[in-house]
Amino acid sequence: MIQVRDLVHRYPRASVNAVNEISFSISKGEIFGFLGPNGAGKSTVQNILSRLLPIQSGDVMIDGVPLRAVKQSYYEEIGVSFELPNLYEKLTGYENLAFFGKLFRKKTIDPDSLLRMVGLENARNKKAKDYSKGMKHRLVFARSLINRPKILFLDEPTSGLDPSTAQEIKNIIRDQRDQGTTIFLTTHNMFTAEELCDQVAFLYEGAIVAMDTPKNLKLQYGTQSVQIEYREEDQTQRAIFFMDRPEEKQRLAELVAQYPVITLHSQEATLEQIFIKLTGKELKA
Amino acid sequence: MRRFLAVLWANVRLDTKTAWRNGFFAITIALVAAYAAAVNWLIPPSFEAERPTIGFVDQTEDQRWKSFLEPQEHEFQFFSDRSLLEQEAQDHGIIGVVACEEEIILIIQGYEQPKTITAIEEFLQLSDQMIQRVILPPMISTVNLHPHAVSLPMNLRFIPVLLATDVMLIAFFLISAMLFNEKKERSLFAYRVSPGGTFAYLLSKVLVNVGNCLLFSLLFLIATDQWRIHLWPFILMVVLSSGLMSFLGLLLAQFYDSLMDFLYIILGVTLIALLPAIPYFNPSIAAPVFEWIPSYPVFFGVHRLLEGASDVPWQMFAPALVLLGIMIPLTGWSFGKTTMKRSGL
């Protein structure tokens, strides 16, 4: 569905590329997760794919058609959900959805059923400015579905949501995938990525450092790790050590000998730990 | 085309709704009330200063000056004695004339405009020649090209000025406020990943603003009891000027992030738009460059219509039409390249 080859992007007056020769492909009906810390280039790639930024170098094909050649009608087939709320604040939730519904040539989903889907039916006639942050986020997400998009771009789709609402949103995303929608998801939340994505790519300083299914990444990079909590100068300290690295094994042995140990757990590596292992940086950085 | 009109209509409904809820129409009604109050009650029908009184002493033997000027008695105050005239000039600041056999003495205060003194001197010379039969009084007749035209009282002469100010305020200021609001709430960024399109977005905002300007203009005419003028040329002028200013507002405001940053531009453009007031109140300073200012047709066209004319020469609209022809594609192109794409990312 989406093929990206050797994509490069540099912002005006920047000294380094924001996106540096990245390539990936996403099949129809797949959830593809872009994981990386802020500034890694996730949004730049999403903005190129949603045609807000031009392709400077490289190629992007959408369903066999070069992205450079697609027209305004491209927006008939995509849905974009942003991390930050961007609603008409003086309009009600219903009016926000109804307005966007009228911009499409194709038949769109009834705003009321979308509001029900994201649990906002009781806030139908409330102005968006009076919505909480989580409600705004849900409305933006609902808006991205109004045209039954073939490709859905989701930027931090569960950010700011309580666990139960986040779970509902994840279920809707899975439903969309099951209906054949291709989903491009950018996040720095490893749990969301691990739970939802069929394939993930770790993006760091504009380049993809690893890309595969979450399971394969764990098999390939995820060695057993040990998490230790210990007391040092009346403070509880916490550390993670990868057992495939001799120097970390040595350091763990030193800690156990030197300080009183509170807890000691062996664990399977998470996507975040793999990211840290590959880049030396945390995802939330 | 049907698709474009459907998207445009959706945008117009949205912009009207947000303009209403942001109080833009309330501002319009408040301005109508304030401006109408100014025209109806605050600005006097006449600003003309009283003509300077001229005191006159005729010391000629045959009192020829007195008999010559008697028909214009209301413009002169005759004194029997020079000392009385000088006393009156001291006390009430009048200009004095003492006509002797061989000379005429002018008594002035010193602060009069030179052209006032020159006019009095020329009048006295001409009168002297007529008295001595050197020349005959000229036969003056008047041909009125516009016999039904009315000379506007001063308060009504301010209607075009206030209309032009309002076209500026609503069309330029409010449209930029609409854009900054959408930038602030980021709804603009959601619109640009929809199939709505740039031109429908721009045209909708311009139409709502032009509608608001028309609403103001028509209510203002009703409130000042001038609604009997020929409306079609009036509507055309308001639509053209406000449309042009709206496109200009969008073109410039897209490069700024907030109304505060944009304030200097608003002040600058307002000053330029009010420049036609100079030739309007002082026709001797008229220069062709004023005609290219979008508010020009409002100043002079509305004035013409208020005087009773049934139309406005098309030449008056021509510069605004040319500018609009440039502004529409320029705004669309610039918006499509910047605001609808890269800005705010």
Side-chain angles (χ1 to χ4, degrees):
Chain A
M1 187 71 179
I2 301 174
Q3 282 92 37
V4 175
R5 205 176 61 215
D6 301 329
L7 192 65
V8 175
H9 192 88
R10 181 179 288 201
Y11 288 103
R13 293 183 289 280
S15 56
V16 292
N17 292 337
V19 172
N20 204 7
E21 292 192 356
I22 65 167
S23 301
F24 59 90
S25 63
I26 311 174
S27 306
K28 184 173 167 27
E30 183 180 75
I31 302 179
F32 183 89
F34 240 36
L35 262 78
N38 292 338
K42 303 188 301 287
S43 297
T44 304
V45 175
Q46 178 169 319
N47 287 331
I48 292 170
L49 295 183
S50 55
R51 291 185 76 232
L52 291 176
L53 285 173
I55 299 173
Q56 292 175 346
S57 173
D59 288 310
V60 178
M61 304 286 278
I62 305 289
D63 216 2
V65 180
L67 185 64
R68 292 176 201 268
V70 299
K71 305 280 182 214
Q72 188 75 10
S73 58
Y74 176 59
Y75 293 116
E76 291 277 348
E77 307 299 342
I78 70 167
V80 184
S81 176
F82 299 82
E83 183 184 4
L84 295 172
N86 47 15
L87 300 159
Y88 291 100
E89 302 266 335
K90 292 280 168 70
L91 299 191
T92 65
Y94 178 86
E95 287 169 338
N96 264 285
L97 294 181
F99 167 68
F100 275 91
K102 290 190 180 84
L103 301 180
F104 293 89
R105 190 184 294 270
K106 58 166 37 170
K107 189 167 164 44
T108 53
I109 301 175
D110 171 40
D112 278 320
S113 67
L114 280 173
L115 288 170
R116 268 194 304 277
M117 190 192 285
V118 296
L120 289 174
E121 65 272 31
N122 293 330
R124 180 189 191 273
N125 297 321
K126 204 171 170 181
K127 283 184 187 157
K129 72 181 169 69
D130 298 323
Y131 276 26
S132 68
K133 193 182 166 199
M135 289 164 84
K136 284 180 182 176
H137 204 83
R138 279 185 275 163
L139 189 59
V140 169
F141 176 72
R143 189 181 61 198
S144 70
L145 303 176
I146 199 160
N147 56 327
R148 298 185 176 87
K150 287 182 182 165
I151 304 172
L152 192 52
F153 294 97
L154 302 175
D155 195 355
E156 304 290 355
T158 55
S159 156
L161 300 181
D162 62 78
S164 99
T165 313
Q167 197 52 51
E168 283 171 29
I169 296 294
K170 284 176 197 167
N171 290 339
I172 297 170
I173 294 171
R174 283 194 204 93
D175 285 347
Q176 291 294 316
R177 187 256 319 266
D178 296 343
Q179 288 167 29
T181 307
T182 305
I183 298 168
F184 183 87
L185 185 151
T186 58
T187 183
H188 58 244
N189 186 324
M190 57 161 180
F191 298 112
T192 303
E194 206 164 336
E195 219 177 312
L196 286 175
C197 297
D198 301 306
Q199 198 181 181
V200 294
F202 288 151
L203 198 65
Y204 183 64
E205 292 182 347
I208 291 177
V209 291
M211 180 168 59
D212 213 325
T213 63
K215 191 178 171 186
N216 284 346
L217 282 173
K218 284 180 182 177
L219 283 172
Q220 194 178 348
Y221 300 101
T223 50
Q224 285 279 309
S225 63
V226 172
Q227 183 175 298
I228 182 172
E229 282 185 324
Y230 60 96
R231 296 290 289 176
E232 183 183 4
E233 293 173 358
D234 289 336
Q235 299 264 320
T236 301
Q237 305 288 346
R238 189 177 289 122
I240 295 171
F241 297 98
F242 294 98
M243 292 299 98
D244 62 334
R245 294 178 176 172
E247 70 279 9
E248 295 203 6
K249 265 186 175 172
Q250 175 67 31
R251 176 84 185 115
L252 175 65
E254 284 170 13
L255 274 182
V256 172
Q258 206 173 343
Y259 301 106
V261 175
I262 302 168
T263 61
L264 188 67
H265 296 291
S266 69
Q267 57 183 28
E268 186 190 25
T270 62
L271 285 182
E272 180 160 33
Q273 285 164 358
I274 295 169
F275 188 86
I276 294 168
K277 191 174 173 182
L278 289 169
T279 64
K281 296 278 180 185
E282 286 188 34
L283 272 170
K284 286 180 182 171
Chain B
M1 189 62 184
R2 261 183 72 187
R3 185 68 221 141
F4 174 78
L5 289 176
V7 171
L8 178 64
W9 179 236
N11 271 289
V12 167
R13 286 181 61 188
L14 170 97
D15 287 329
T16 308
K17 216 177 274 184
T18 50
W20 175 263
R21 290 179 189 174
N22 280 316
F24 289 0
F25 295 113
I27 293 172
T28 300
I29 305 290
L31 281 173
V32 170
Y35 287 2
V39 169
N40 291 335
W41 298 300
L42 292 181
I43 304 170
S46 170
F47 276 165
E48 282 179 28
E50 285 185 15
R51 296 176 68 160
T53 307
I54 298 176
F56 214 101
V57 177
D58 188 358
Q59 292 185 341
T60 57
E61 269 180 32
D62 52 2
Q63 293 285 290
R64 56 181 180 271
W65 278 94
K66 194 170 181 184
S67 42
F68 180 74
L69 293 175
E70 248 167 3
Q72 304 164 59
E73 198 176 13
H74 57 284
E75 292 178 22
F76 300 96
Q77 192 179 350
F78 288 97
F79 294 86
S80 56
D81 189 80
R82 180 173 173 170
S83 60
L84 289 174
L85 170 65
E86 284 177 350
Q87 189 59 51
E88 184 66 12
Q90 283 288 350
D91 294 346
H92 296 106
I94 65 168
I95 294 172
V97 178
V98 181
C100 310
E101 287 296 343
E102 300 298 326
E103 62 173 341
I104 295 171
I105 301 161
L106 201 56
I107 300 167
I108 61 170
Q109 302 294 329
Y111 49 67
E112 295 86 351
Q113 293 287 326
K115 65 179 180 185
T116 305
I117 305 299
T118 307
I120 293 170
E121 285 173 348
E122 283 172 358
F123 167 76
L124 293 172
Q125 277 169 7
L126 204 63
S127 301
D128 188 43
Q129 287 170 335
M130 283 192 274
I131 290 166
Q132 295 186 34
R133 307 274 179 199
V134 177
I135 58 168
L136 292 172
M139 295 294 290
I140 299 173
S141 59
T142 306
V143 177
N144 190 346
L145 290 174
H146 302 286
H148 303 298
V150 286
S151 179
L152 285 184
M154 184 52 78
N155 57 338
L156 297 189
R157 290 190 70 192
F158 267 85
I159 288 179
V161 181
L162 296 174
L163 271 172
T165 313
D166 186 72
V167 166
M168 279 304 307
L169 196 72
I170 292 176
F172 191 78
F173 178 75
L174 290 189
I175 205 163
S176 55
M178 284 169 101
L179 183 62
F180 289 128
N181 193 42
E182 291 194 8
K183 280 187 174 184
K184 189 181 159 202
E185 64 188 12
R186 300 176 62 84
S187 50
L188 171 62
F189 305 136
Y191 181 84
R192 62 190 186 179
V193 289
S194 78
T198 306
F199 198 63
Y201 175 86
L202 295 175
L203 190 57
S204 155
K205 287 191 168 30
V206 171
L207 286 177
V208 171
N209 265 270
V210 168
N212 199 3
C213 284
L214 262 181
L215 174 75
F216 170 87
S217 308
L218 295 174
L219 287 179
F220 188 40
L221 285 187
I222 293 168
T224 50
D225 199 23
Q226 299 300 313
W227 52 275
R228 290 173 207 85
I229 66 166
H230 288 86
L231 278 182
W232 286 115
F234 175 79
I235 289 171
L236 185 62
M237 269 181 306
V238 173
V239 167
L240 208 57
S241 299
S242 58
L244 184 54
M245 292 313 298
S246 296
F247 272 109
L248 184 66
L250 285 171
L251 178 69
L252 298 178
Q254 65 172 319
F255 300 110
Y256 294 82
D257 291 326
S258 72
L259 206 52
M260 284 307 289
D261 296 338
F262 195 58
L263 211 54
Y264 295 107
I265 302 294
I266 291 174
L267 285 175
V269 173
T270 306
L271 279 177
I272 291 170
L274 287 176
L275 282 179
I278 298 172
Y280 180 71
F281 284 113
N282 194 344
S284 61
I285 310 177
V289 69
F290 290 119
E291 294 172 20
W292 288 89
I293 298 173
S295 50
Y296 182 88
V298 179
F299 274 95
F300 291 91
V302 173
H303 184 92
R304 225 179 116 88
L305 293 173
L306 288 172
E307 281 182 329
S310 60
D311 60 2
V312 175
W314 68 268
Q315 290 91 336
M316 205 173 266
F317 297 115
L321 274 171
V322 171
L323 287 174
L324 199 60
I326 297 167
M327 201 64 74
I328 293 173
L330 182 65
T331 310
W333 173 81
S334 163
F335 230 79
K337 282 279 174 197
T338 56
T339 306
M340 285 294 179
K341 293 289 179 193
R342 274 153 264 185
S343 72
L345 293 177

